[in-house]
Amino acid sequence: YANALREADPKAIIVGPETLNFHTTCSNCAGYPAGRAWIDEFRAAYRAKFGGEPPIDVWSLHTYSLSWDVLPQRDYATQARELAAFRGYLDGIPDHRGKPIWLTEFSVIWGYEGVRWQTVNGDLKAAPTGSFRSDLLTADLTEMLKWLKANAAALRLERWFIFSSHAYQEPWATQPAGIALVEGVGDQAQL
């Protein structure tokens, strides 16, 4: 596909697969594989099939603090460490050394002081308890943005995107619980 895309548009940019974090997964949860394990498997499968590294122009990462035992989930320093570790990993691979990184998602997905897990229509869902701490989320977002600005050039971090502009209800939650920069829709949307 990369060859077909580049033939059709020589300026096309192939962005590598978005993984959730690089080293850390989550605490006090069922868990999932770390992003590095998935990337290692992806690269190995590609090399086995095609004999070289994937033809990626830009690598992508999503970073989140997913500590269910420390709420609200805000920890820009963990996200910063994930990005720095990812840069070090890429720079250790000759074919990917120095390639840009795009942070295609970062945010806070749980902004409440607590969580109560409950069964809703047979599915386990997170329900908020306590207050939504927009003050803490604002402080964390401010520090993350400062860190990104200060470290983007050294990490070759070309772009970053916050999730989400609007309140988003995760499928495992009873209501939206993360950062929302805009309320309302269309022309009626307000910061």
Side-chain angles (χ1 to χ4, degrees):
Y1 294 118
N3 290 338
L5 286 168
R6 288 193 172 112
E7 188 175 307
D9 180 0
K11 294 181 182 178
I13 297 172
I14 308 296
V15 179
E18 294 89 4
T19 57
L20 177 56
N21 291 343
F22 185 66
H23 284 303
T24 61
T25 59
C26 59
S27 60
N28 201 22
C29 69
Y32 57 89
R36 179 181 179 153
W38 189 93
I39 293 169
D40 285 342
E41 289 176 25
F42 164 72
R43 290 180 48 237
Y46 192 92
R47 286 190 311 267
K49 186 166 184 169
F50 299 105
E53 287 290 330
I56 293 172
D57 300 312
V58 174
W59 282 87
S60 172
L61 190 67
H62 295 180
T63 62
Y64 289 90
S65 172
L66 298 172
S67 297
W68 287 98
D69 47 354
V70 179
L71 300 174
Q73 292 175 335
R74 57 177 179 62
D75 181 6
Y76 84 91
T78 293
Q79 295 183 64
R81 283 190 301 273
E82 293 296 302
L83 287 161
F86 191 41
R87 171 80 278 148
Y89 173 83
L90 292 176
D91 286 348
I93 304 165
D95 288 353
H96 299 294
R97 183 175 294 124
K99 285 194 176 176
I101 297 172
W102 290 0
L103 178 57
T104 48
E105 274 189 30
F106 75 98
S107 191
V108 173
I109 62 168
W110 198 261
Y112 285 92
E113 294 172 314
V115 62
R116 182 182 71 254
W117 293 94
Q118 61 188 42
T119 302
V120 178
N121 298 325
D123 296 322
L124 190 62
K125 303 249 181 186
T129 62
S131 298
F132 184 83
R133 296 298 306 271
S134 60
D135 59 328
L136 297 176
L137 302 187
T138 298
D140 192 69
L141 178 58
T142 299
E143 291 304 313
M144 181 67 173
L145 292 171
K146 282 183 198 174
W147 185 89
L148 288 168
K149 287 179 182 180
N151 293 280
L155 296 175
R156 297 260 1 250
L157 183 59
E158 288 187 343
R159 297 183 181 158
W160 53 84
F161 305 90
I162 189 165
F163 183 89
S164 117
S165 58
H166 290 77
Y168 177 76
Q169 182 173 335
E170 299 283 354
W172 43 262
T174 60
Q175 68 184 58
I179 290 177
L181 302 177
V182 177
E183 293 179 348
V185 295
D187 295 346
Q188 305 306 310
Q190 300 291 317
L191 286 175

